[in-house]
Amino acid sequence: MKILVTGGAGYIGSHTVVELQNKGYDVIIADDLSNSHYSVIDNIEKITGKRPEFEQIDLKFSKETKDLFKKYPDIAAVIHFAASKSVGESVKVPLKYYRNNINSLVNVLDSMDLTKCFGIVFSSSCTVYGQPDHLPITESYPMQKAWSPYGHTKQICEEIIENEVKASKINGILLRYFNPIGAHESSLIGELPLGIPDNLVPYITQTAIGKREILRVFGNDYNTPDGTPIRDYIHVVDLAKAHVCAVERLIQNQMKKRVEIFNLGTGKGYSVLEAIHAFEKVSGKKLNYKIVERREGDIEKIWADASFANQELGWKAEKTLDEMMDSAWKWEQHLIQQ
Ligand code: NAD
Ligand code: WQD
């Protein structure tokens, strides 16, 4: 069966393509390479022994998106990763985020009736929850006003899918990722942050390798055991595997509702200092860091109740924080050799 993976050259998309191909699916990647490199396609082939089809296309454009779907009328499902993803940038250039994230989704949905597609798996985020007042958080927790334009696009996109499902034959699975980190065990694919990373783990590995001088820990006066914020970090390979389960649920018509929402996390939260110490343990390196002021817009703590995904998708995150850090560190060391 053919699966269209938009944004498949990106961080989570490339790991998902590997897992899909390992399970025997044929994959078409549609990506404009705005935040990724063509070499990722070569590396997917090196890992799986199979080259995915690749279409360089900007899904913001309606005609190009329609042409893509006309070219592949036998697509069985779409996994839609393509989006702009930097929270900080979205505050500075909100229209870029509304234009890209919303138009791309609308164009994909609008083109799906050109195929015999069973439905769409959509990349959402725990950012739709804001700061919950009780934890762990389940999928039924009501959304709050979004904390950033990026988060707002994820809320809007979820609603667009819900409304389109009511009006069409399309089914939708919305996956709310917590904090994906780590890289493939081959170190051939991983996260490629452009410029200075916003996210904790690329910042840790870049500091350890000497690309950055010091990691700033944003605040240690939160209401958590060590004062630093808590997140539910999940290995990107575990996350990728959940997408295969979701696609199979769509294709095999196992859905209990026409739109289903799943939290994808480990269910366990770690503080920033715990993440740093896990990194230091697996790398054997002492990290240069200092505590600074809180970062504006950061929430204090969040971790998932992932039991719905465990039950319904038959999926469970398996990799430990140490394994996540170990793979992230190997990936950083591999990058420096490029
Ligand atoms: P990424 O930037 O590595 O991958 C996104 C890919 O989409 C890139 O290859 C980019 O070139 C492509 N793309 C962007 N706009 C496009 C367009 N208009 N047309 C075609 N291709 C386009 O990001 P990622 O970390 O792999 O994230 C994938 C998805 O998961 C995104 O939707 C993101 O919002 C969501 N998500 C990510 C995280 C995270 O922490 N990484 C957390 C929650 C949700
Ligand atoms: C984690 C913790 C920081 C960098 C973001 C998005 C979210 C989702 C995942 C897409 C926080 C601290 C970080 C640094 C630090 N993405 N930190 N020094 O903010 O939980 O989530 O990525 O959907 O929407 O908001 O992830 O990795 O940026 O931060 O102390 O240099 O690390 O304060 O507590 P975050 P993060």
Side-chain angles (χ1 to χ4, degrees), residues 164-197:
E164 181 58 15
V165 162
K166 286 185 205 143
S168 71
K169 291 184 187 151
I170 295 170
N171 293 330
I173 296 187
L174 315 180
L175 300 179
R176 293 179 179 161
Y177 316 151
F178 281 64
N179 286 55
I181 60 168
H184 192 262
E185 60 177 5
S186 64
S187 296
L188 287 168
I189 53 173
E191 193 170 6
L192 281 170
L194 290 179
I196 302 172

mmCIF file of all heavy atoms in Angstrom, residues 164-197:
data_model
loop_
_atom_site.group_PDB
_atom_site.id
_atom_site.type_symbol
_atom_site.label_atom_id
_atom_site.label_comp_id
_atom_site.label_asym_id
_atom_site.label_seq_id
_atom_site.Cartn_x
_atom_site.Cartn_y
_atom_site.Cartn_z
ATOM 1 N N GLU A 164 -14.099 18.812 8.505
ATOM 2 C CA GLU A 164 -14.057 18.194 7.179
ATOM 3 C C GLU A 164 -14.507 16.727 7.242
ATOM 4 O O GLU A 164 -15.160 16.233 6.331
ATOM 5 C CB GLU A 164 -12.639 18.330 6.588
ATOM 6 C CG GLU A 164 -12.459 17.755 5.202
ATOM 7 C CD GLU A 164 -13.391 18.352 4.127
ATOM 8 O OE1 GLU A 164 -14.002 19.412 4.357
ATOM 9 O OE2 GLU A 164 -13.504 17.714 3.059
ATOM 10 N N VAL A 165 -14.183 16.063 8.330
ATOM 11 C CA VAL A 165 -14.623 14.670 8.492
ATOM 12 C C VAL A 165 -16.154 14.599 8.467
ATOM 13 O O VAL A 165 -16.745 13.724 7.834
ATOM 14 C CB VAL A 165 -14.044 14.081 9.804
ATOM 15 C CG1 VAL A 165 -14.801 12.840 10.243
ATOM 16 C CG2 VAL A 165 -12.562 13.776 9.623
ATOM 17 N N LYS A 166 -16.792 15.574 9.129
ATOM 18 C CA LYS A 166 -18.276 15.573 9.162
ATOM 19 C C LYS A 166 -18.858 15.762 7.774
ATOM 20 O O LYS A 166 -19.946 15.298 7.469
ATOM 21 C CB LYS A 166 -18.773 16.721 10.052
ATOM 22 C CG LYS A 166 -18.580 16.449 11.525
ATOM 23 C CD LYS A 166 -19.212 17.587 12.338
ATOM 24 C CE LYS A 166 -18.548 17.705 13.701
ATOM 25 N NZ LYS A 166 -18.385 19.057 14.179
ATOM 26 N N ALA A 167 -18.122 16.469 6.916
ATOM 27 C CA ALA A 167 -18.661 16.851 5.610
ATOM 28 C C ALA A 167 -18.164 15.946 4.481
ATOM 29 O O ALA A 167 -18.519 16.175 3.330
ATOM 30 C CB ALA A 167 -18.263 18.299 5.314
ATOM 31 N N SER A 168 -17.349 14.930 4.789
ATOM 32 C CA SER A 168 -16.753 14.131 3.709
ATOM 33 C C SER A 168 -16.626 12.675 4.159
ATOM 34 O O SER A 168 -17.084 12.307 5.240
ATOM 35 C CB SER A 168 -15.366 14.684 3.375
ATOM 36 O OG SER A 168 -14.469 14.378 4.434
ATOM 37 N N LYS A 169 -15.953 11.881 3.327
ATOM 38 C CA LYS A 169 -15.741 10.460 3.692
ATOM 39 C C LYS A 169 -14.415 10.245 4.416
ATOM 40 O O LYS A 169 -14.057 9.130 4.773
ATOM 41 C CB LYS A 169 -15.740 9.622 2.411
ATOM 42 C CG LYS A 169 -17.102 9.545 1.756
ATOM 43 C CD LYS A 169 -17.013 8.615 0.558
ATOM 44 C CE LYS A 169 -18.316 8.667 -0.216
ATOM 45 N NZ LYS A 169 -18.131 8.403 -1.630
ATOM 46 N N ILE A 170 -13.682 11.343 4.581
ATOM 47 C CA ILE A 170 -12.343 11.220 5.186
ATOM 48 C C ILE A 170 -12.455 10.916 6.680
ATOM 49 O O ILE A 170 -13.320 11.470 7.371
ATOM 50 C CB ILE A 170 -11.589 12.562 5.019
ATOM 51 C CG1 ILE A 170 -11.344 12.846 3.549
ATOM 52 C CG2 ILE A 170 -10.288 12.584 5.806
ATOM 53 C CD1 ILE A 170 -10.829 14.268 3.301
ATOM 54 N N ASN A 171 -11.577 10.045 7.190
ATOM 55 C CA ASN A 171 -11.430 9.860 8.637
ATOM 56 C C ASN A 171 -10.105 10.478 9.081
ATOM 57 O O ASN A 171 -9.190 10.625 8.267
ATOM 58 C CB ASN A 171 -11.430 8.377 8.992
ATOM 59 C CG ASN A 171 -12.789 7.744 8.732
ATOM 60 O OD1 ASN A 171 -13.825 8.418 8.832
ATOM 61 N ND2 ASN A 171 -12.802 6.480 8.377
ATOM 62 N N GLY A 172 -10.029 10.832 10.362
ATOM 63 C CA GLY A 172 -8.807 11.512 10.823
ATOM 64 C C GLY A 172 -8.315 10.990 12.167
ATOM 65 O O GLY A 172 -9.114 10.697 13.058
ATOM 66 N N ILE A 173 -7.000 10.869 12.276
ATOM 67 C CA ILE A 173 -6.379 10.553 13.573
ATOM 68 C C ILE A 173 -5.433 11.698 13.926
ATOM 69 O O ILE A 173 -4.528 12.025 13.155
ATOM 70 C CB ILE A 173 -5.627 9.201 13.533
ATOM 71 C CG1 ILE A 173 -6.630 8.067 13.278
ATOM 72 C CG2 ILE A 173 -4.871 8.978 14.837
ATOM 73 C CD1 ILE A 173 -6.056 6.652 13.367
ATOM 74 N N LEU A 174 -5.691 12.313 15.062
ATOM 75 C CA LEU A 174 -4.895 13.467 15.504
ATOM 76 C C LEU A 174 -3.941 12.983 16.594
ATOM 77 O O LEU A 174 -4.387 12.464 17.628
ATOM 78 C CB LEU A 174 -5.808 14.560 16.066
ATOM 79 C CG LEU A 174 -7.066 14.893 15.247
ATOM 80 C CD1 LEU A 174 -7.879 15.997 15.940
ATOM 81 C CD2 LEU A 174 -6.694 15.332 13.839
ATOM 82 N N LEU A 175 -2.654 13.138 16.341
ATOM 83 C CA LEU A 175 -1.654 12.656 17.298
ATOM 84 C C LEU A 175 -1.012 13.847 17.989
ATOM 85 O O LEU A 175 -0.417 14.706 17.328
ATOM 86 C CB LEU A 175 -0.592 11.830 16.562
ATOM 87 C CG LEU A 175 -1.116 10.588 15.825
ATOM 88 C CD1 LEU A 175 0.020 9.859 15.109
ATOM 89 C CD2 LEU A 175 -1.843 9.634 16.777
ATOM 90 N N ARG A 176 -1.178 13.895 19.303
ATOM 91 C CA ARG A 176 -0.603 15.015 20.072
ATOM 92 C C ARG A 176 0.723 14.551 20.674
ATOM 93 O O ARG A 176 0.740 13.811 21.663
ATOM 94 C CB ARG A 176 -1.571 15.454 21.166
ATOM 95 C CG ARG A 176 -2.841 16.089 20.581
ATOM 96 C CD ARG A 176 -3.813 16.515 21.655
ATOM 97 N NE ARG A 176 -4.989 17.130 21.062
ATOM 98 C CZ ARG A 176 -6.159 17.268 21.684
ATOM 99 N NH1 ARG A 176 -6.309 16.828 22.930
ATOM 100 N NH2 ARG A 176 -7.175 17.852 21.070
ATOM 101 N N TYR A 177 1.824 15.015 20.040
ATOM 102 C CA TYR A 177 3.147 14.606 20.516
ATOM 103 C C TYR A 177 3.524 15.432 21.741
ATOM 104 O O TYR A 177 3.284 16.630 21.788
ATOM 105 C CB TYR A 177 4.253 14.866 19.489
ATOM 106 C CG TYR A 177 3.957 14.501 18.064
ATOM 107 C CD1 TYR A 177 4.579 15.198 17.030
ATOM 108 C CD2 TYR A 177 3.105 13.459 17.726
ATOM 109 C CE1 TYR A 177 4.348 14.873 15.703
ATOM 110 C CE2 TYR A 177 2.863 13.129 16.391
ATOM 111 C CZ TYR A 177 3.479 13.842 15.388
ATOM 112 O OH TYR A 177 3.253 13.541 14.076
ATOM 113 N N PHE A 178 4.250 14.775 22.671
ATOM 114 C CA PHE A 178 4.831 15.519 23.779
ATOM 115 C C PHE A 178 6.223 15.998 23.307
ATOM 116 O O PHE A 178 6.293 16.668 22.303
ATOM 117 C CB PHE A 178 4.734 14.696 25.072
ATOM 118 C CG PHE A 178 3.308 14.828 25.612
ATOM 119 C CD1 PHE A 178 2.219 14.327 24.888
ATOM 120 C CD2 PHE A 178 3.030 15.564 26.744
ATOM 121 C CE1 PHE A 178 0.895 14.536 25.308
ATOM 122 C CE2 PHE A 178 1.718 15.768 27.185
ATOM 123 C CZ PHE A 178 0.654 15.257 26.462
ATOM 124 N N ASN A 179 7.315 15.722 23.950
ATOM 125 C CA ASN A 179 8.597 16.315 23.499
ATOM 126 C C ASN A 179 9.469 15.274 22.812
ATOM 127 O O ASN A 179 10.214 14.555 23.494
ATOM 128 C CB ASN A 179 9.336 16.932 24.687
ATOM 129 C CG ASN A 179 8.708 18.236 25.137
ATOM 130 O OD1 ASN A 179 7.518 18.288 25.442
ATOM 131 N ND2 ASN A 179 9.487 19.298 25.189
ATOM 132 N N PRO A 180 9.423 15.206 21.470
ATOM 133 C CA PRO A 180 10.227 14.210 20.759
ATOM 134 C C PRO A 180 11.711 14.575 20.799
ATOM 135 O O PRO A 180 12.068 15.726 20.526
ATOM 136 C CB PRO A 180 9.727 14.281 19.309
ATOM 137 C CG PRO A 180 8.582 15.235 19.293
ATOM 138 C CD PRO A 180 8.629 16.040 20.544
ATOM 139 N N ILE A 181 12.544 13.593 21.128
ATOM 140 C CA ILE A 181 14.003 13.813 21.136
ATOM 141 C C ILE A 181 14.679 12.534 20.637
ATOM 142 O O ILE A 181 14.027 11.520 20.415
ATOM 143 C CB ILE A 181 14.547 14.205 22.537
ATOM 144 C CG1 ILE A 181 14.247 13.109 23.571
ATOM 145 C CG2 ILE A 181 13.979 15.538 22.991
ATOM 146 C CD1 ILE A 181 15.014 13.299 24.887
ATOM 147 N N GLY A 182 16.011 12.602 20.473
ATOM 148 C CA GLY A 182 16.765 11.421 20.082
ATOM 149 C C GLY A 182 16.843 11.271 18.580
ATOM 150 O O GLY A 182 16.388 12.124 17.819
ATOM 151 N N ALA A 183 17.454 10.175 18.165
ATOM 152 C CA ALA A 183 17.696 9.957 16.735
ATOM 153 C C ALA A 183 17.711 8.463 16.462
ATOM 154 O O ALA A 183 17.754 7.642 17.387
ATOM 155 C CB ALA A 183 19.041 10.569 16.352
ATOM 156 N N HIS A 184 17.709 8.129 15.160
ATOM 157 C CA HIS A 184 17.743 6.723 14.757
ATOM 158 C C HIS A 184 19.052 6.077 15.218
ATOM 159 O O HIS A 184 20.096 6.736 15.235
ATOM 160 C CB HIS A 184 17.600 6.634 13.227
ATOM 161 C CG HIS A 184 17.335 5.250 12.766
ATOM 162 N ND1 HIS A 184 18.318 4.418 12.292
ATOM 163 C CD2 HIS A 184 16.182 4.534 12.725
ATOM 164 C CE1 HIS A 184 17.790 3.251 11.971
ATOM 165 N NE2 HIS A 184 16.492 3.294 12.220
ATOM 166 N N GLU A 185 18.987 4.781 15.550
ATOM 167 C CA GLU A 185 20.188 4.095 16.081
ATOM 168 C C GLU A 185 21.345 4.080 15.079
ATOM 169 O O GLU A 185 22.510 3.977 15.476
ATOM 170 C CB GLU A 185 19.837 2.665 16.506
ATOM 171 C CG GLU A 185 19.305 1.828 15.369
ATOM 172 C CD GLU A 185 19.018 0.374 15.760
ATOM 173 O OE1 GLU A 185 19.138 0.038 16.948
ATOM 174 O OE2 GLU A 185 18.674 -0.395 14.854
ATOM 175 N N SER A 186 21.052 4.202 13.793
ATOM 176 C CA SER A 186 22.109 4.227 12.763
ATOM 177 C C SER A 186 22.880 5.549 12.766
ATOM 178 O O SER A 186 23.923 5.654 12.133
ATOM 179 C CB SER A 186 21.467 4.060 11.382
ATOM 180 O OG SER A 186 20.616 5.183 11.129
ATOM 181 N N SER A 187 22.333 6.562 13.417
ATOM 182 C CA SER A 187 22.858 7.948 13.364
ATOM 183 C C SER A 187 22.861 8.505 11.940
ATOM 184 O O SER A 187 23.570 9.468 11.655
ATOM 185 C CB SER A 187 24.275 8.059 13.941
ATOM 186 O OG SER A 187 24.254 7.745 15.299
ATOM 187 N N LEU A 188 22.058 7.932 11.062
ATOM 188 C CA LEU A 188 21.994 8.454 9.685
ATOM 189 C C LEU A 188 20.896 9.510 9.540
ATOM 190 O O LEU A 188 20.925 10.322 8.618
ATOM 191 C CB LEU A 188 21.753 7.307 8.693
ATOM 192 C CG LEU A 188 22.970 6.413 8.464
ATOM 193 C CD1 LEU A 188 22.587 5.135 7.718
ATOM 194 C CD2 LEU A 188 24.046 7.177 7.686
ATOM 195 N N ILE A 189 19.907 9.464 10.425
ATOM 196 C CA ILE A 189 18.883 10.517 10.434
ATOM 197 C C ILE A 189 18.666 10.989 11.876
ATOM 198 O O ILE A 189 18.872 10.232 12.823
ATOM 199 C CB ILE A 189 17.531 10.066 9.802
ATOM 200 C CG1 ILE A 189 17.023 8.765 10.439
ATOM 201 C CG2 ILE A 189 17.646 9.925 8.288
ATOM 202 C CD1 ILE A 189 15.606 8.366 9.977
ATOM 203 N N GLY A 190 18.271 12.246 11.992
ATOM 204 C CA GLY A 190 18.054 12.837 13.310
ATOM 205 C C GLY A 190 17.548 14.258 13.119
ATOM 206 O O GLY A 190 17.145 14.630 12.015
ATOM 207 N N GLU A 191 17.596 15.036 14.192
ATOM 208 C CA GLU A 191 17.080 16.408 14.110
ATOM 209 C C GLU A 191 18.168 17.332 13.557
ATOM 210 O O GLU A 191 19.318 17.263 13.975
ATOM 211 C CB GLU A 191 16.678 16.859 15.515
ATOM 212 C CG GLU A 191 15.849 18.111 15.518
ATOM 213 C CD GLU A 191 15.248 18.423 16.890
ATOM 214 O OE1 GLU A 191 15.577 17.718 17.872
ATOM 215 O OE2 GLU A 191 14.462 19.369 16.967
ATOM 216 N N LEU A 192 17.789 18.204 12.632
ATOM 217 C CA LEU A 192 18.751 19.138 12.031
ATOM 218 C C LEU A 192 18.298 20.573 12.295
ATOM 219 O O LEU A 192 17.735 21.216 11.400
ATOM 220 C CB LEU A 192 18.811 18.923 10.515
ATOM 221 C CG LEU A 192 19.621 17.742 9.986
ATOM 222 C CD1 LEU A 192 19.370 17.540 8.508
ATOM 223 C CD2 LEU A 192 21.110 17.950 10.251
ATOM 224 N N PRO A 193 18.496 21.086 13.493
ATOM 225 C CA PRO A 193 18.007 22.440 13.758
ATOM 226 C C PRO A 193 18.786 23.473 12.948
ATOM 227 O O PRO A 193 20.011 23.375 12.844
ATOM 228 C CB PRO A 193 18.238 22.625 15.257
ATOM 229 C CG PRO A 193 19.137 21.539 15.688
ATOM 230 C CD PRO A 193 19.203 20.502 14.628
ATOM 231 N N LEU A 194 18.070 24.412 12.363
ATOM 232 C CA LEU A 194 18.729 25.486 11.612
ATOM 233 C C LEU A 194 19.134 26.560 12.608
ATOM 234 O O LEU A 194 18.328 26.982 13.425
ATOM 235 C CB LEU A 194 17.752 26.104 10.605
ATOM 236 C CG LEU A 194 17.345 25.260 9.398
ATOM 237 C CD1 LEU A 194 16.358 26.024 8.531
ATOM 238 C CD2 LEU A 194 18.568 24.856 8.595
ATOM 239 N N GLY A 195 20.385 27.019 12.537
ATOM 240 C CA GLY A 195 20.825 28.097 13.427
ATOM 241 C C GLY A 195 20.881 27.652 14.873
ATOM 242 O O GLY A 195 21.149 26.497 15.181
ATOM 243 N N ILE A 196 20.576 28.598 15.763
ATOM 244 C CA ILE A 196 20.662 28.302 17.194
ATOM 245 C C ILE A 196 19.400 27.539 17.610
ATOM 246 O O ILE A 196 18.293 28.013 17.383
ATOM 247 C CB ILE A 196 20.779 29.609 18.010
ATOM 248 C CG1 ILE A 196 22.014 30.386 17.541
ATOM 249 C CG2 ILE A 196 20.855 29.321 19.500
ATOM 250 C CD1 ILE A 196 22.138 31.777 18.139
ATOM 251 N N PRO A 197 19.567 26.363 18.218
ATOM 252 C CA PRO A 197 18.373 25.588 18.574
ATOM 253 C C PRO A 197 17.546 26.248 19.677
ATOM 254 O O PRO A 197 18.104 26.866 20.577
ATOM 255 C CB PRO A 197 18.931 24.251 19.071
ATOM 256 C CG PRO A 197 20.395 24.283 18.901
ATOM 257 C CD PRO A 197 20.819 25.686 18.592
#
